[in-house]
Amino acid sequence: QVQLVESGGGLVQAGGSLTLSCAASGSIFSINAMGWYRRAPGKQHELVVRISSGGNTNYAEAVKGRFTISRANAKNTVLLQMNSLKPEDTAVYYCYAELPAAGNYWGQGTQVTVSS
């Protein structure tokens, strides 16, 4: 019914940058918020960032000042610009969307690996 398509993950050196993209499609009438969770080795599933339909953002302390979420021109799409990447950012990143009528939906996850 609802699908989240993620792209942009990969392997980078410490200090490098990646941009993740997430596009929601399907039976969508409106979206309250979108964002990213991540699951790093040895850590719990944690919220990285959330952006509401009104543009309010919440960032995890670990990524503040380095990651930026934004709304893309494409419909129901958000971007996550990740700068100054650290090895501890290595994780599977999961996009999610909060749909007021249909609940929450999740992407399949995309691997981000930061070496050194």
Side-chain angles (χ1 to χ4, degrees):
Q1 185 178 23
V2 176
Q3 183 179 16
L4 301 179
V5 180
E6 302 156 315
S7 63
L11 173 64
V12 298
Q13 295 285 325
S17 298
L18 284 174
T19 299
L20 306 183
S21 176
C22 176
S25 63
S27 301
I28 299 173
F29 299 96
S30 64
I31 297 179
N32 280 349
M34 295 183 70
W36 297 86
Y37 281 81
R38 68 183 180 185
R39 175 68 171 178
K43 295 185 178 180
Q44 299 297 313
H45 196 210
E46 64 180 337
L47 178 67
V48 177
V49 62
R50 175 184 184 272
I51 183 168
S52 72
S53 60
N56 295 322
T57 56
N58 296 298
Y59 291 90
E61 287 293 329
V63 307
K64 284 183 178 178
R66 299 188 298 118
F67 291 11
T68 303
I69 192 169
S70 63
R71 293 165 291 185
N73 291 331
K75 181 179 293 186
N76 299 326
T77 299
V78 294
L79 304 175
L80 181 65
Q81 178 67 47
M82 306 186 295
N83 297 324
S84 301
L85 284 163
K86 305 174 180 179
E88 49 263 46
D89 294 319
T90 295
V92 179
Y93 285 71
Y94 299 90
C95 178
Y96 78 94
E98 301 173 17
L99 309 181
N104 297 335
Y105 286 84
W106 303 81
Q108 79 288 347
T110 184
Q111 178 70 48
V112 172
T113 302
V114 185
S115 63
S116 296

